[in-house]
Amino acid sequence: MHLAYPAVLSALLFCTGLYGVLARRNAILVLMSVELMLNAVNLNLVAFDVWLSRTAEETLHSGQALTLFTIAIAAAEIGIGLAIVLAVHRNRGTADIDKLRDTAERHDPDGDDHDALTAEQSDEAEKAEATA
């Protein structure tokens, strides 16, 4: 088999994963897209390892060893990432990246947001007392 076939397949997988990272709004789908990109890298590592082992007299299989390390790192990354996404979903009620970014950027950089927040809370408390 030629080296071009797995290289083209790997490029297509990587581009699909890159599109998923850039276009998706759900954090779980973004993690899946990152995993797809890592699998494209793994395919390249193994394909080039096989191609180089045919041309070299000594076969070290370093591409396959790097693939095992990449798989281990990807498994740890997806485990921690999924735990973070689930914790955020429990606290905020959504896994939408844009909504999470909006809640993180809601604070005023001048530092006046604390005073405005307490004013809003006091207004809500006054309304609650008035209705009670």
Side-chain angles (χ1 to χ4, degrees):
M1 181 183 339
H2 295 285
L3 182 62
Y5 298 132
V8 168
L9 179 63
S10 176
L12 289 174
L13 283 174
F14 193 85
C15 289
T16 304
L18 185 65
Y19 172 74
V21 167
L22 296 176
R24 298 292 177 188
R25 301 290 183 238
N26 192 348
I28 294 175
L29 292 177
V30 170
L31 286 174
M32 289 175 59
S33 298
V34 169
E35 197 72 27
L36 193 62
M37 292 168 62
L38 287 172
N39 285 332
V41 170
N42 288 340
L43 180 62
N44 256 345
L45 285 171
V46 171
F48 277 99
D49 182 51
V50 169
W51 181 68
L52 288 175
S53 68
R54 289 183 188 169
T55 59
E57 294 176 5
E58 297 177 6
T59 57
L60 296 175
H61 298 294
S62 59
Q64 293 178 11
L66 285 173
T67 299
L68 290 175
F69 284 121
T70 307
I71 289 171
I73 290 172
E77 174 258 336
I78 199 72
I80 292 172
L82 190 59
I84 291 171
V85 168
L86 287 175
V88 167
H89 189 301
R90 284 181 186 163
N91 289 334
R92 310 260 174 146
T94 184
D96 190 8
I97 294 174
D98 288 337
K99 290 181 183 176
L100 296 177
R101 186 180 311 136
D102 291 342
T103 58
E105 294 175 355
R106 181 173 32 179
H107 301 292
D108 189 25
D110 296 333
D112 297 334
D113 60 347
H114 180 68
D115 296 333
L117 183 64
T118 56
E120 289 176 9
Q121 288 175 348
S122 64
D123 289 340
E124 289 176 9
E126 289 175 8
K127 288 179 185 177
E129 289 176 9
T131 57

